[in-house]
């Protein structure tokens, strides 16, 4: 068997320290109950309270085929008050994105109110959008929003008097209306110190610090290693990243023209870099999916 060169050993070490992106993991690897610890840690950090996942909801947004448009993933979870949480994962620049977020939240509200049930059964929804694209101008990487009632003339916020809620108003607006959290991962440029910062760093760069104590990330280190996947899974994962890159590049077009050509060029460029770094033909074939003939023609 061919002995690995120093460069190959370095490349393999980098693979061992590489972690799968969260958007891929949440749709492919974290849907089993045994892996809920990662997602529960994520929700606990971003919502600031202990979260327990009950199930991953099946919907059109959870389809895993190559044309699924990377839509939402619905997670049915409970916090200490029994609220339902909806996670919205979005990677690509999509027209009418905010409208789609609103639709997803409205759908979650109605789906969990059974036919004939009174409105007391309406559950609180949290929508967490992990944005790998620019949605607007702002200086922060984390934004929070909720419905509020503001005086047209006085600009004050309407406060429900809890002592006089009686039988008409059973819950405060903050206990009913959905909350929206936007995570602008590309805007994060801090040294990760807090659990929240460690999570955002992972979402952005795929880096998980050894010895992390952030909820969910220790489990992620064990379950989301790129190198632990089979060659077929790695190939599918790399294709997923290529598809995201290509989709981002063709927002202005109605069709994904040139998608296959773009993927092929990416694989060829990866092979070219690997060969220039001195990696063996066997390694290049394994991690690009190209044939020896295609690689020799570079």
């Amino acid at each position: 068997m061919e002995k690995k060169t120093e460069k190959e050993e370095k490349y393999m070490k980098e693979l061992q320290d590489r972690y799968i992106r969260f958007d891929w993991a949440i749709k492919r690897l974290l849907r089993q109950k045994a892996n809920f610890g990662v997602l529960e840690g994520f929700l606990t950090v971003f919502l600031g309270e202990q979260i327990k996942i009950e199930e991953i909801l099946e919907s059109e947004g959870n389809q895993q085929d190559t044309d699924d448009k990377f839509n939402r993933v619905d997670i049915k979870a409970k916090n200490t008050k029994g609220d339902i949480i909806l996670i919205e994962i979005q990677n690509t620049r999509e027209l009418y994105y905010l409208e789609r977020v609103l639709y997803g939240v409205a759908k979650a509200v109605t789906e969990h109110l059974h036919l004939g049930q009174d409105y007391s059964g309406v559950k609180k929804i949290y929508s967490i959008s992990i944005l790998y694209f620019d949605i607007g101008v702002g200086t922060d990487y984390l934004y929070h929003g909720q419905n509020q009632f503001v005086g047209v003339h006085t600009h004050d916020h309407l406060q429900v008097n809890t002592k006089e809620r009686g039988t008409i108003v059973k819950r405060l607006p903050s206990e009913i209306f959905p909350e929206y959290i936007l995570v602008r991962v590309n805007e994060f440029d801090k040294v990760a110190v807090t659990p929240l910062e460690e999570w955002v760093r992972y979402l952005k760069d795929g880096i998980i610090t050894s010895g992390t104590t952030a909820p969910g990330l220790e489990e992620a280190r064990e379950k989301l290693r790129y190198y632990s996947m089979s060659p077929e899974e790695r190939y599918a994962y790399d294709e997923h990243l290529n598809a995201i890159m290509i989709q981002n590049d063709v927002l202005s077009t109605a069709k994904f023209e040139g998608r296959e050509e773009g993927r092929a060029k990416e694989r060829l460029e990866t092979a070219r870099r690997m060969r220039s770094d001195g990696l063996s033909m066997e390694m290049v074939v394994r991690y690009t999916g190209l044939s020896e003939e295609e690689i020799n023609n570079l």
Side-chain angles (χ1 to χ4, degrees):
M1 184 176 180
E2 184 179 356
K3 186 178 179 180
K4 292 185 175 64
T5 66
E6 183 177 343
K7 288 184 178 180
E8 289 174 341
E9 292 286 357
K10 181 180 178 182
Y11 183 74
M12 294 298 292
K13 180 63 168 60
E14 290 175 350
L15 282 181
Q16 291 174 351
D17 292 337
R18 180 181 172 189
Y19 296 94
I20 302 163
R21 270 179 41 149
F22 188 67
D23 62 293
W24 169 270
I26 200 173
K27 297 194 73 171
R28 303 287 179 124
L29 303 178
L30 300 178
R31 298 166 62 81
Q32 293 79 32
K33 197 173 184 65
N35 296 332
F36 281 178
V38 178
L39 297 178
E40 288 173 347
F42 167 80
L43 291 171
T44 295
V45 167
F46 277 85
L47 298 181
E49 60 179 313
Q50 191 66 40
I51 300 299
K52 183 69 174 177
I53 293 177
E54 292 193 332
E55 61 180 312
I56 305 293
L57 301 177
E58 295 300 331
S59 71
E60 71 280 357
N62 282 336
Q63 299 304 311
Q64 296 184 7
D65 57 73
T66 56
D67 293 321
D68 64 4
K69 305 296 186 298
F70 318 106
N71 282 343
R72 78 176 196 263
V73 175
D74 294 350
I75 294 178
K76 184 178 182 180
K78 282 189 176 181
N79 59 12
T80 55
K81 299 185 293 292
D83 298 331
I84 291 176
I85 294 106
L86 166 69
I87 299 181
E88 180 83 357
I89 306 294
Q90 177 67 20
N91 305 282
T92 56
R93 295 175 173 87
E94 181 172 327
L95 294 174
Y96 308 114
Y97 176 68
L98 292 179
E99 289 87 343
R100 194 177 63 76
V101 171
L102 175 61
Y103 174 79
V105 169
K107 192 168 185 290
V109 171
T110 57
E111 283 179 347
H112 293 92
L113 186 66
H114 302 297
L115 186 64
Q117 185 178 7
D118 62 43
Y119 292 122
S120 64
V122 171
K123 296 294 184 180
K124 176 74 172 285
I125 303 295
Y126 293 87
S127 175
I128 303 178
S129 295
I130 301 175
L131 307 176
Y132 289 90
F133 62 95
D134 292 330
I135 196 172
V137 179
T139 58
D140 208 332
Y141 63 88
L142 189 66
Y143 286 84
H144 174 271
Q146 188 180 25
N147 299 62
Q148 295 180 336
F149 299 100
V150 181
V152 174
H153 303 98
T154 61
H155 306 295
D156 69 313
H157 291 263
L158 178 64
Q159 302 291 327
V160 174
N161 191 330
T162 55
K163 294 182 179 179
E164 299 178 2
R165 285 186 290 168
T167 58
I168 299 177
V169 181
K170 294 290 187 180
R171 291 182 288 173
L172 296 172
S174 61
E175 298 174 301
I176 300 173
F177 290 109
E179 294 187 37
Y180 302 87
I181 297 173
L182 303 181
V183 187
R184 303 170 69 219
V185 295
N186 293 334
E187 298 302 314
F188 180 77
D189 60 358
K190 302 174 62 178
V191 175
V193 177
T194 67
L196 176 63
E197 291 167 347
E198 287 190 77
W199 259 103
V200 178
R201 185 190 188 199
Y202 163 58
L203 294 177
K204 179 180 180 181
D205 300 321
I207 296 174
I208 304 177
T209 305
S210 177
T212 179
T213 58
L217 283 185
E218 183 178 357
E219 293 92 333
R221 278 180 58 85
E222 299 302 317
K223 299 177 182 297
L224 304 184
R225 292 184 184 274
Y226 177 85
Y227 187 65
S228 67
M229 291 193 295
S230 67
E232 292 78 15
E233 289 174 327
R234 282 195 294 269
Y235 179 78
Y237 173 68
D238 291 337
E239 287 292 283
H240 169 75
L241 297 186
N242 289 338
I244 290 175
M245 178 191 67
I246 294 164
Q247 188 174 359
N248 284 338
D249 288 340
V250 297
L251 173 66
S252 59
T253 62
K255 298 180 180 180
F256 297 114
E257 298 175 355
R259 182 169 63 180
E260 295 301 325
E261 180 181 355
R263 290 178 179 176
K265 287 182 179 178
E266 178 68 19
R267 288 198 295 271
L268 290 171
E269 180 58 31
T270 299
R272 186 178 291 108
R273 290 197 301 269
M274 292 176 71
R275 289 297 281 167
S276 66
D277 285 344
L279 288 132
S280 67
M281 177 67 73
E282 178 186 1
M283 290 280 290
V284 179
V285 169
R286 182 185 305 171
Y287 292 108
T288 66
L290 298 172
S291 66
E292 291 190 14
E293 181 181 356
E294 290 173 313
I295 296 169
N296 287 326
N297 289 333
L298 293 174

